[in-house]
Amino acid sequence: SRFETCWPALMKDSHGVIIIFNPELPSHLKEIEMWYSCFVQQQPLLDSQCLLVAHHKPGSAEDTENLALAYPLNKLKLIHSNLEEDPEDVRMEFMKYFKSIITIINENREREEMSIIS
């Protein structure tokens, strides 16, 4: 990808990764493995710091709702976004995700402070 040279700058000090993809495109399912590998595993971030969003376009096929992702993607939190039908549900999931990231950041900060003191 022509943006790969920018990736280190994007990844620097990041606390979370949200990967949004189209579950109807088989090529996307391959690509999210690469994004996960580069942006989560190589950082390294915890799996809980990554959120997968399967975005369904209006009028898209419903059979992609029960998406079976292969390991290691099946360990990640996966939400389905359908903004026409249930925008509130997506908003709630995002809020939960952001709260979990803030918790991780705070725990890391406390750990660092304790290591400085001791």
Side-chain angles (χ1 to χ4, degrees):
S1 145
R2 53 199 165 135
F3 298 118
E4 277 184 47
T5 50
C6 309
W7 288 2
L10 286 173
M11 291 191 262
K12 186 175 171 4
D13 300 330
S14 64
H15 295 290
V17 175
I18 298 174
I19 300 173
I20 302 173
F21 65 99
N22 182 344
E24 291 180 56
L25 293 180
S27 62
H28 273 205
L29 298 180
K30 285 261 40 100
E31 279 174 36
I32 53 178
E33 288 181 24
M34 189 249 329
W35 291 111
Y36 171 74
S37 168
C38 293
F39 281 84
V40 181
Q41 287 180 312
Q42 288 173 30
Q43 285 232 63
L45 291 177
L46 301 170
D47 284 340
S48 57
Q49 288 168 279
C50 182
L51 178 66
L52 290 181
V53 182
H55 184 63
H56 299 267
K57 290 184 183 154
S60 64
E62 286 303 306
D63 58 350
T64 50
E65 281 284 345
N66 12 349
L67 199 58
L69 294 173
Y71 180 86
L73 297 173
N74 60 5
K75 302 183 297 172
L76 304 174
K77 171 85 174 145
L78 168 69
I79 66 169
H80 291 270
S81 75
N82 189 325
L83 299 179
E84 274 202 329
E85 286 175 26
D86 211 345
E88 189 54 31
D89 196 39
V90 176
R91 202 175 72 82
M92 294 294 293
E93 290 291 353
F94 268 101
M95 292 306 291
K96 265 195 274 185
Y97 171 69
F98 288 128
K99 281 180 182 160
S100 72
I101 294 294
I102 290 166
T103 303
I104 289 168
I105 293 170
N106 288 338
E107 284 170 357
N108 287 346
R109 188 177 299 133
E110 281 171 22
R111 210 174 294 121
E112 280 169 22
E113 286 169 2
M114 289 308 292
S115 67
I116 293 166
I117 293 166
S118 55

